[in-house]
Amino acid sequence: MMPNILIIGACGQIGSELTIALRDKYGNDAVIASDIREGSQELMESGPFEILDATDSKAIAHVVEKHNISDVYLMAAMLSAVAEKNPLKAWDLNMNSLLHVLNLARDKKINKIFWPSSIAVFGPTTPKNNTPQRTIMEPSTVYGISKQAGERWCEYYFNRYSVDVRSIRYPGLISYKTLPGGGTTDYAVDIYHKAITDGTYTSFLNKGTFLPMMYMDDAINATINIMDADTKDIKIRSSYNLSGISFAPEDVASSIQNHISDFTLTFNPDFRQDIADTWPNSVNDTDAQNDWGWSSKISLDEMTEIMLKNLKSYYK
Ligand code: AKB
């Protein structure tokens, strides 16, 4: 059966590309985009859109009923850096939106949920390299705490109410199409914009700060693949580690220098350094590979080529 999809938080960094990808796959009318405010022209004109506050359970239930929704992708969240400035607001948005959607599935109003977790579930006591799927998790940011609690809720609703919820621990995501909104990994997008506009970039993360990262197309494919997978193949109902590329700011700079030889990078770390220092350098995603056939495709140099080519024509 073809799903009727609702994307909550459709105008954000991941939501906007996911909406277009799902509309390409299932048809424009089968994918209802929603957000607290309107998004890009492409998103608004390519299919149905609803203004929706992810913390308003009644409003979500109303949109689900109105459009006969079967699958919800809950992409609304406050990311790590902004969340540190508004801890309780972040907790409210990140937790309550998830509980509202889980309750709809428990009450059989929807069939399937996608909910994004993050590498932020890990903390300073987690093994840093090739971080295992199951390991010490003592996140020290409010964003990480909300994602870890969310993972526990997902698994609980699956075990207790058979809710079909699927989740990925996204690394930092990079795309030329939409800007990220308030994360610790945002430098890896900014650096490409500044390489084109200014020929130089000051990184808010220090030299040697390795983090798990991924080009957006890989993340969108992973999201669609895990939702397409057979129920019996989804063996982890908290959230799957997902690995793409691991790099530090100076690695992106040298990749850019292959195209813009006089590009320069300087460092001026701020509070986001403290967050990055608690996250893994790289993660192990063997479970995602084995359970539902995940593999990443795009390398750092391929990503650099795509980013620079597209941003050059954007800024022309
Ligand atoms: C952030 O930096 O907060 C996000 C994330 C890794 O979840 N990009």
Side-chain angles (χ1 to χ4, degrees), residues 13 78-81 117-120 143 147 170-173 180 182-186 212 275 279:
Q13 191 204 12
M78 201 182 284
L79 296 187
S80 55
S117 186
S118 161
I119 52 156
Y143 175 65
K147 288 296 178 187
Y170 286 129
L173 299 179
T184 303
T185 58
D186 294 10
I275 300 177
W279 289 354

Side-chain angles (χ1 to χ4, degrees), residues 4 14-16 42 72 100 107 115 122 197 234 243 255 282:
N4 271 342
I14 311 172
S16 53
E42 186 189 15
V72 172
H100 297 332
D107 299 343
W115 176 77
F122 300 116
T197 57
I234 306 300
S243 167
S255 183
S282 59

Side-chain angles (χ1 to χ4, degrees), residues 11 82 291:
C11 300
V82 199
D291 290 0

Side-chain angles (χ1 to χ4, degrees), residues 277-296:
D277 285 342
T278 71
W279 289 354
N281 297 339
S282 59
V283 298
N284 181 299
D285 64 2
T286 311
D287 284 282
Q289 291 179 35
N290 292 343
D291 290 0
W292 45 276
W294 157 251
S295 74
S296 75

Side-chain angles (χ1 to χ4, degrees), residues 175-235:
S175 158
Y176 64 88
K177 290 184 189 155
T178 321
L179 288 171
T184 303
T185 58
D186 294 10
Y187 90 84
V189 178
D190 298 345
I191 193 171
Y192 287 109
H193 284 264
K194 289 289 185 318
I196 304 282
T197 57
D198 301 1
T200 181
Y201 180 66
T202 303
S203 170
F204 59 75
L205 295 187
N206 227 335
K207 196 171 177 178
T209 309
F210 285 85
L211 285 171
M213 300 278 191
M214 182 176 285
Y215 185 61
M216 183 64 83
D217 286 8
D218 271 343
I220 298 293
N221 282 336
T223 308
I224 292 177
N225 290 348
I226 195 175
M227 286 298 270
D228 277 352
D230 210 287
T231 312
K232 70 170 180 2
D233 293 333
I234 306 300
K235 301 199 173 93

